[in-house]
Amino acid sequence: MAIERTLSIIKPDAVKKNVIGKILSRFEDAGLNISAMRFALLSKDDAAGFYAVHKTRPFFNDLVEFMTSGPVCIQVLEGEDAIKKNRELMGATDPKQADTGTIRADFAESIDANAVHGSDSAENAAIEIAYFFPSMNVYSK
Ligand code: CMP
């Protein structure tokens, strides 16, 4: 299986709940390395640029509002099959549909305040990682 990188964001709801460490442990326990990490308080332009792919969706303005409501903690995760593995760890976008034991089932409140974001493809992972991290700031084991 290929070693991949994926972008992960611990969203404002989970940062406010003080569960950053619990969420990071899920990644490490699943064999993913945290290869880069930073906090950010996103501006409206930062959030809108990151989620540009969703700009015509009805939830876009609420999404930008929510993502700028408090600090986020952003990581690059690296490991075998990292993109799929992280999506399995996160669970379904809507926490009501998320499998028991997933991050969203355990820590999320709603489809808007859903605790974490994870890249959905290798192509988007590369774009999303470059959006937040210069390559010199991403470590490889
Ligand atoms: P995320 O994985 O960060 O990608 C886009 C976000 O939009 C998603 O998580 C949700 O938090 C939010 N969102 C709100 N409503 C919807 C919806 N109907 N479908 C998909 N995403 C939604």
Side-chain angles (χ1 to χ4, degrees):
M1 233 171 278
I3 300 291
E4 294 176 337
R5 286 177 175 172
T6 189
L7 188 90
S8 162
I9 303 178
I10 300 178
K11 296 188 179 186
D13 56 321
V15 172
K16 279 187 192 123
K17 275 189 192 162
N18 215 16
V19 292
I20 294 171
K22 287 183 178 160
I23 292 174
L24 295 179
S25 291
R26 304 268 177 122
F27 301 147
E28 292 185 327
D29 291 347
L32 295 173
N33 298 321
I34 298 163
S35 294
M37 187 153 72
R38 58 178 282 212
F39 282 95
L41 185 54
L42 301 179
S43 67
K44 298 270 194 281
D45 282 352
D46 294 333
F50 180 76
Y51 280 119
V53 66
H54 294 305
K55 67 171 175 281
T56 59
R57 309 286 292 273
F59 57 82
F60 182 72
N61 287 341
D62 287 344
L63 175 60
V64 169
E65 198 63 40
F66 175 68
M67 290 300 288
T68 58
S69 66
V72 293
C73 182
I74 312 165
Q75 303 82 47
V76 176
L77 305 177
E78 187 178 79
E80 278 189 8
D81 217 9
I83 297 162
K84 182 161 166 259
K85 203 178 264 183
N86 183 39
R87 291 183 71 78
E88 287 170 0
L89 291 171
M90 290 191 302
T93 305
D94 183 350
K96 291 185 203 80
Q97 317 289 329
D99 288 342
T100 308
T102 59
I103 293 169
R104 285 170 171 155
D106 289 347
F107 301 118
E109 301 303 326
S110 67
I111 196 165
D112 296 303
N114 67 350
V116 280
H117 166 82
S119 308
D120 64 0
S121 65
E123 188 190 1
N124 284 337
I127 294 167
E128 292 179 358
I129 290 168
Y131 194 81
F132 287 119
F133 295 98
S135 58
M136 66 179 286
N137 289 356
V138 185
Y139 129 97
S140 245
K141 206 170 184 183

